[in-house]
C-alpha cells in the first residue's frame, strides 16, 4: 500500500451517504443474514427478502431514511435477539466446533465460533473508534471520543 503524502494526511471526511440510521439497518441485516445463510443454511427472512441485494446493494443504508428511529432500533434489537436465540439453541445441541449448514464461496463451512466472530468484525468496521459511527456522530453534534462530556 502506498503511504499518503502531506495532502493525504491532511484530508478531511468528505460528503457521504452513510447515516447512523443506515448503519443500524445495515447491522440488523448482517445479524439476520449471517445466521440465516451461514449457520442455518436458509434464506434471510423479512424485511430483507423483499429486496434483491444484488440489484440494490446499498438498500439498507438508503432506505433507513424512510424509517422512524424507533423502527430502526426495534429492527436491530430484533435481529440481535434472533441471533442470540440461534446461538443458544446451537450451543444446546453441541459445542462451538459444530459446522454451519451452508458453505461459503470458498467451500468452507464455518463453525459456531466463526459466525459471531464475523459479526464482531462487521460491527468493528462500522463503529470502532475510527469508524463510520464516530465520524458521523462528530458531524452531528461535534462530540468525539469514547466518553465525551455530557
Amino acid at each position: 500500500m502506498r503511504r499518503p503524502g502531506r495532502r493525504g494526511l491532511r484530508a478531511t471526511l468528505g460528503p457521504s451517504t452513510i447515516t447512523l440510521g443506515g448503519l443500524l439497518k445495515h447491522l440488523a441485516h448482517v445479524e439476520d443474514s449471517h445466521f440465516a445463510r451461514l449457520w442455518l443454511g436458509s434464506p434471510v427472512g423479512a424485511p430483507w427478502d423483499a429486496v434483491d441485494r444484488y440489484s440494490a446493494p446499498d438498500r439498507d443504508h438508503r432506505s433507513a431514511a424512510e424509517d422512524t428511529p424507533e423502527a430502526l432500533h426495534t429492527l436491530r434489537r430484533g435481529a440481535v435477539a434472533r441471533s442470540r436465540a440461534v446461538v443458544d439453541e446451537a450451543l444446546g445441541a453441541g459445542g462451538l466446533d459444530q459446522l454451519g449448514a451452508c458453505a461459503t464461496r470458498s467451500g468452507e463451512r464455518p463453525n459456531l465460533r466463526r459466525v459471531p466472530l464475523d459479526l464482531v468484525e462487521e460491527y468493528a468496521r462500522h463503529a470502532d473508534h475510527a469508524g463510520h459511527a464516530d465520524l458521523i456522530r462528530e458531524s452531528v453534534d461535534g462530540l468525539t471520543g469514547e466518553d465525551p462530556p455530557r
Side-chain angles (χ1 to χ4, degrees), residues 46-149:
W48 319 116
D49 57 353
V51 176
D52 174 19
R53 69 185 183 115
Y54 296 106
S55 65
D58 294 332
R59 176 76 179 136
D60 299 343
H61 294 287
R62 287 183 281 114
S63 68
E66 303 163 11
D67 301 319
T68 65
E70 296 79 16
L72 291 167
H73 287 290
T74 298
L75 185 66
R76 191 180 143 298
R77 278 193 303 270
V80 169
R82 286 186 292 279
S83 294
R84 288 180 178 165
V86 168
V87 170
D88 288 347
E89 185 177 327
L91 286 173
L96 294 171
D97 292 324
Q98 59 185 311
L99 299 179
C102 184
T104 64
R105 283 176 270 190
S106 64
E108 174 191 12
R109 287 181 56 208
N111 64 25
L112 188 54
R113 279 185 188 89
R114 174 67 187 271
V115 181
L117 185 61
D118 284 352
L119 287 172
V120 168
E121 181 183 47
E122 184 74 13
Y123 275 81
R125 181 178 307 129
H126 294 301
D128 71 356
H129 210 63
H132 300 117
D134 278 349
L135 297 172
I136 296 167
R137 168 121 190 253
E138 183 179 4
S139 74
V140 170
D141 60 17
L143 298 177
T144 60
E146 289 181 40
D147 297 311

